[in-house]
């Protein structure tokens, strides 16, 4: 029978008599766990931020007109019955309108679908921004701004001005940050744009739009949907894109497939659109796990070494304990307890250190053009990271302690006593 | 109380060596026996077997009516804890523990009494050996003679049936040696313990009940 209070008492005396080594070993665990928590908090925080950016802002499905050549060429329909091979060289997509055919009925159909949280129409108009003698290429997106805010956090992109001005004044424009800079315009100024058929419009800059991607911010601006249709000289049913947000992102792929089979349209799902983004997250996660596990392993080896040393120094104690009636199992637990105490102490300090440094990083300013709404570094305080950190500290110290403790269990007291 | 039947022991390293040859001894309850013999004749080796710490031998060892070779390591540990007190030639104490704690440890392991009772009895034993004033010092802070007496107190703590000593006075001056002998003798007479002590000290041996002479691994 093992008497744990006694085992603990002996362990405590041993640890206190070697306070320096105990501290060093604990600090090893502290740094391992602390760094694990900081790294995971930071990395998952960053991933969460980027995920959030993508997931919150990107449509789950984008619907627009196809510009790929028809899969089945007319000759194949005509000569279907014959066994001849047909070669058609230099196949081109057929000319088609940019607008989606019957967009409004399709839009209300999508909005009624039970998996769909919402859908927004967009009309894209190619224009020139006029600046003195210069004409700059540009794209105006006509949007329903309230729906864009509700579904795609459109507000996050607006760094200056008032996003709802698009609703109040038909001729307002949320100007791309790059254009504003190039033409030295700011909120309240006016800008001339010329449509492809030569008509010019004067728009009021009521806000600045910044996505963080230079090639977007240098070209794109946002106006209200009716304004875009007016610039194109088209009617209310001229809609070039539909953006769909679902309740469950997982439904995006099958629903996009369904839309493509039902309508002669391209439906791009978020998985396909952001394939490389997923890979990025995965690799970041992989790296943080690899680094953390390496750190914890190093801490584990530290404990293993120090405990081996403890046992070497305590050979006499082990022999005496065994000679006076302690069993090998008692001795084993005396040393496992020491390892666990080191792990628990170091783990707790690691939690405190990890949490403290996380708070510190959380308050560091992090200003980047790409993420206009982010002011400090993102940190994730997921309790799971803390729990798994402590769990790992305890298991690794247990294992690191177990092997040397097994050796102590098997020490032959006669050999030690004879050796004196 | 203690009996050996045809005990043989070999060392295999570095070369095969027959260190104990057909050892048959018997120790009665309350008997004080000393073992003498030239250095290297196998006295310590025999004592390690008798103390149940060494189990690599042939033949039978009986303690208090039980055959030791039938028992598991854990049961042997229990026998050492409960029935045997061992006093080493060198003062074997746990250096970082207090003197009192050193004496208490085997009793705490046995767990027959609560901690307070054990503490009181440990103080009592230290009193008997005249070192109770050292009780709260760390064991590495007391002198050699004091350590030896503390280790005798520890051997006594569980009121064992047998006390074994491997040259317990080997490191002591004649005055301390005399002291230790008197203490052991008194214990033997008053408490009915059996004592088995290896010694080089002929004066010491001649005052015990019986001397077992050993030479070259055999009883002479
Ligand atoms: N672990 C060992 N391996 C081999 N030979 C040993 C070992 N321990 C002791 N011996 C030998 O066994 C003999 C008896 O040793 P020991 O019992 O210590 O003698 P004593 O205590 O009578 O002086 C000696 O010759 C010694 O060299
Ligand atoms: Mg010897």
């Amino acid at each position: 029978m093992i008497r744990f209070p006694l085992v603990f008492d002996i362990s405590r005396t041993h640890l206190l008599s070697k306070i320096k080594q105990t501290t060093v070993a604990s600090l090893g665990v502290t740094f391992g766990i602390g760094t694990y928590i900081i790294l995971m908090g930071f990395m998952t925080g960053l991933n969460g931020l980027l995920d959030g950016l993508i997931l919150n802002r990107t449509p789950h499905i984008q619907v627009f007109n196809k510009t790929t050549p028809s899969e089945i060429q007319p000759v194949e329909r005509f000569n279907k019955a014959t066994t001849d091979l047909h070669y058609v060289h230099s196949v081109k997509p057929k000319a088609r309108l940019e607008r989606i055919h019957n967009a409004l009925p399709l839009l209300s159909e999508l909005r009624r679908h039970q998996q769909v949280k919402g859908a927004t129409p967009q009309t894209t108009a190619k224009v020139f921004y006029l600046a003195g003698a210069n004409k700059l290429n540009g794209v105006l997106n006509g949007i329903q701004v309230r729906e864009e805010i509700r579904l795609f956090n459109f507000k996050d992109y607006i760094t200056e001005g008032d996003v709802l001005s698009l609703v109040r004044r038909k001729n307002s424009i949320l100007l791309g940050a790059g254009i504003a800079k190039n033409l030295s315009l700011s909120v309240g100024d006016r800008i001339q744009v010329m449509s492809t058929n030569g008509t010019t419009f004067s728009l009021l800059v009521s806000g600045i739009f910044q996505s963080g991607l230079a090639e977007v911010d240098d070209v794109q601006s946002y106006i209200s949907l009716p304004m875009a249709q007016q610039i194109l000289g088209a009617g209310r049913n001229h809609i070039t894109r539909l953006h769909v947000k679902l309740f469950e992102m997982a439904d995006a792929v099958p629903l996009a497939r369904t839309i493509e089979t039902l309508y002669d349209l391209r439906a791009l799902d978020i998985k396909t659109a952001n394939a490389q983004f997923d890979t990025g997250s995965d690799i970041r996660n992989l790296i943080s796990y690899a680094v953390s596990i390496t750190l914890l392993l190093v801490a584990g080896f530290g404990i293993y070494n120090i405990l081996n040393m403890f046992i070497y120094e305590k050979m006499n104690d082990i022999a005496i304990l065994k000679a006076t009636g302690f069993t090998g199992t008692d001795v084993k637990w005396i040393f496992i307890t020491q390892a666990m105490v080191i792990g628990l102490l170091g783990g707790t300090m690691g939690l405190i250190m990890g949490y403290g440094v996380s708070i510190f990083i959380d308050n560091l300013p992090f200003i980047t053009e790409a993420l206009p709404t982010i002011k400090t570094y993102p940190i994730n305080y997921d309790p799971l990271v803390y729990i798994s950190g402590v769990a790992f500290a305890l298991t690794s110290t247990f294992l690191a302690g177990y092997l040397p403790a097994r050796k102590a269990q098997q020490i032959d007291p006669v050999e030690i006593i004879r050796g004196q | 109380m203690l009996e050996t039947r045809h005990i043989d022991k070999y060392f295999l390293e570095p070369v095969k060596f027959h260190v104990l040859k057909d050892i048959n001894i018997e120790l009665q309850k309350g008997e004080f026996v000393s073992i003498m013999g030239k250095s290297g004749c196998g006295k310590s080796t025999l004592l390690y077997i008798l103390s149940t710490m060494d189990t690599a031998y042939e033949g039978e060892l009986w303690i208090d009516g039980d055959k030791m070779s039938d028992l598991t390591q854990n049961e042997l540990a229990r026998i050492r804890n409960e029935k045997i007190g061992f006093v080493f030639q060198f003062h074997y104490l746990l250096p970082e523990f207090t003197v009192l704690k050193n004496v208490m440890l085997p009793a705490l392991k046995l767990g027959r009494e609560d901690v307070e009772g054990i503490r009181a009895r440990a103080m009592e034993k230290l009193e008997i050996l005249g070192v109770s004033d050292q009780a709260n010092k760390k064991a590495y802070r007391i002198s050699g003679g004091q350590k030896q007496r503390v280790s005798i107190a520890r051997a006594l703590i569980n009121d064992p049936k047998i006390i074994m000593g491997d040259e317990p006075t080997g490191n002591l001056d004649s005055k301390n040696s005399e002291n230790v002998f008197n203490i052991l003798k008194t214990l033997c007479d008053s408490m009915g313990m059996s004592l088995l002590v290896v010694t080089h000290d002929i004066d010491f041996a001649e005052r015990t009940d019986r001397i077992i002479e050993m030479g070259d691994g055999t009883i002479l």
Side-chain angles (χ1 to χ4, degrees), chain A residues 11 14-15 307 310 333-342:
Chain A
S11 307
H14 275 169
L15 285 175
L307 219 71
F310 274 17
W333 277 104
I334 286 172
F335 287 98
I336 289 181
T337 308
Q338 295 184 31
M340 298 291 283
V341 168
I342 290 173

Side-chain angles (χ1 to χ4, degrees), chain A residues 3 9 314 322 330 420, chain B residues 80 92 96 101 109:
Chain A
R3 297 180 195 286
D9 188 32
K314 298 292 182 218
K322 286 189 167 175
D330 291 330
Q420 277 276 324
Chain B
R80 286 199 290 281
Y92 258 112
E96 288 105 7
K101 198 48 157 290
K109 169 61 191 166

Side-chain angles (χ1 to χ4, degrees), chain B residues 50-74:
Chain B
L50 299 184
S51 72
T52 77
M53 282 192 279
D54 188 355
T55 51
Y57 59 88
E58 291 159 19
E60 293 175 6
L61 168 64
W62 294 75
I63 293 176
D64 201 19
D66 294 319
K67 188 176 162 197
M68 292 300 115
S69 35
D70 292 342
L71 302 182
T72 65
Q73 281 297 332
N74 281 355

Side-chain angles (χ1 to χ4, degrees), chain A residues 395-417:
Chain A
T395 21
S396 66
T397 47
F398 179 84
L399 289 179
Y402 184 77
L403 299 173
R406 270 275 305 270
K407 231 169 46 187
Q409 178 181 19
Q410 282 150 9
I411 283 171
D412 179 4
V414 174
E415 241 169 76
I416 312 292
I417 293 167

Side-chain angles (χ1 to χ4, degrees), chain A residues 418, chain B residues 11 13-14 17 19 38-46 167:
Chain A
R418 213 202 295 274
Chain B
F11 282 123
E13 297 283 330
F17 170 46
V19 56
K38 282 207 287 292
S39 180
C41 71
K43 305 179 298 291
S44 296
T45 307
L46 176 61
E167 302 182 33

